[in-house]
Amino acid sequence: DTGVSQDPRHKITKRGQNVTFRCDPISEHNRLYWYRQTLGQGPEFLTYFQNEAQLEKSRLLSDRFSAERPKGSFSTLEIQRTEQGDSAMYLCATGARETQYFGPGTRLLVL
Amino acid sequence: RKEVEQDPGPFNVPEGATVAFNCTYSNSASQSFFWYRQDCRKEPKLLMSVYSSGNEDGRFTAQLNRASQYISLLIRDSKLSDSATYLCVVNLGYSGGSNYKLTFGKGTLLTVNP
């Protein structure tokens, strides 16, 4: 257990529905990252927060995706109007500088 | 060219075998390097950092060649519990606004057989 928690661990939804995932980081880490991993691939970077500021977004993050980190603590990732191609594992990681520790992930299946 | 390329695998080896994984990266500005291990349907976990001088942790040895932009991982005396996917990971650090985000290879699946 790295100390990073994510909720829910699994989510099944129908195409077109909105979903929201939560990440609770290691408390002393001010850097928080979201990654997405599809079958047979390594994780791919989605977005990065330093404290409450969202400082970088991947071009993978379409306008249906939004992420927040109010007060620099937990973070949420929302996907609106889900599509089947959004099915993946969504991983949250926190870090101090170059080392990152991953949460258990939220596995999303869009039917 | 992909940013991080790994041996495609899969690797199937008997217990006790020595197995080596190779990885190349394309961005010469990369600052730090790692091997992560990922068990089936679990999150990636840091196995070890990789340094130019080479580093060893028990049965695991990692090497970095910056000139060739090449990273390796050697597992000696492999155990059944070593079965997992091994991910080669590169970090640009803070250069060019990279914000320390990680770039992963696709991973190489290792199965150690009894």
Side-chain angles (χ1 to χ4, degrees):
Chain A
D1 185 1
T2 60
V4 181
S5 61
Q6 291 188 245
D7 184 70
R9 297 288 300 275
H10 299 91
K11 178 72 178 177
I12 300 175
T13 191
K14 292 183 180 178
R15 190 176 53 188
Q17 299 294 304
N18 300 342
V19 294
T20 300
F21 310 140
R22 176 178 170 127
C23 170
D24 286 274
I26 296 170
S27 59
E28 57 266 31
H29 288 171
N30 59 358
R31 296 178 180 270
L32 186 147
Y33 303 81
W34 286 97
Y35 294 84
R36 180 173 71 185
Q37 186 174 24
T38 53
L39 201 61
Q41 304 295 319
E44 294 175 292
F45 169 77
L46 290 179
T47 190
Y48 159 69
F49 290 85
Q50 183 164 340
N51 300 312
E52 67 276 7
Q54 187 175 19
L55 297 184
E56 187 173 352
K57 292 194 288 188
S58 161
R59 52 195 162 84
L60 290 177
L61 214 65
S62 76
D63 56 6
R64 296 185 298 105
F65 288 70
S66 62
E68 294 182 341
R69 192 183 182 195
K71 302 178 184 176
S73 56
F74 71 92
S75 177
T76 58
L77 177 69
E78 181 183 15
I79 309 175
Q80 296 182 326
R81 304 181 305 280
T82 51
E83 301 173 356
Q84 288 182 323
D86 296 331
S87 296
M89 182 152 75
Y90 290 83
L91 292 157
C92 173
T94 70
R97 294 197 64 185
E98 58 201 21
T99 303
Q100 294 181 23
Y101 300 93
F102 285 82
T106 295
R107 192 170 295 276
L108 172 67
L109 178 61
V110 182
L111 301 177
Chain B
R1 182 182 174 188
K2 289 185 185 291
E3 290 186 69
V4 179
E5 294 205 60
Q6 295 186 237
D7 288 333
F11 285 35
N12 284 279
V13 302
E15 262 188 298
T18 295
V19 59
F21 300 126
N22 301 311
C23 170
T24 57
Y25 60 95
S26 61
N27 193 329
S28 58
S30 300
Q31 296 291 315
S32 49
F33 309 88
F34 309 91
W35 285 99
Y36 275 71
R37 169 198 168 121
Q38 186 171 29
D39 293 296
C40 188
R41 302 182 71 80
K42 301 282 191 180
E43 75 274 21
K45 292 188 177 176
L46 179 64
L47 180 64
M48 56 198 304
S49 301
V50 190
Y51 306 110
S52 296
S53 54
N55 48 305
E56 190 172 309
D57 182 2
R59 298 180 293 106
F60 298 82
T61 301
Q63 269 319 130
L64 166 66
N65 184 321
R66 283 187 181 270
S68 304
Q69 296 180 200
Y70 170 86
I71 306 163
S72 66
L73 176 68
L74 186 75
I75 305 176
R76 290 181 301 278
D77 187 24
S78 52
K79 312 290 185 192
L80 296 177
S81 58
D82 294 333
S83 297
T85 295
Y86 290 82
L87 296 158
C88 178
V89 186
V90 167
N91 191 326
L92 280 174
Y94 209 65
S95 62
S98 172
N99 293 318
Y100 295 107
K101 65 177 179 283
L102 301 179
T103 301
F104 289 79
K106 289 178 67 171
T108 304
L109 177 62
L110 170 66
T111 302
V112 181
N113 302 302

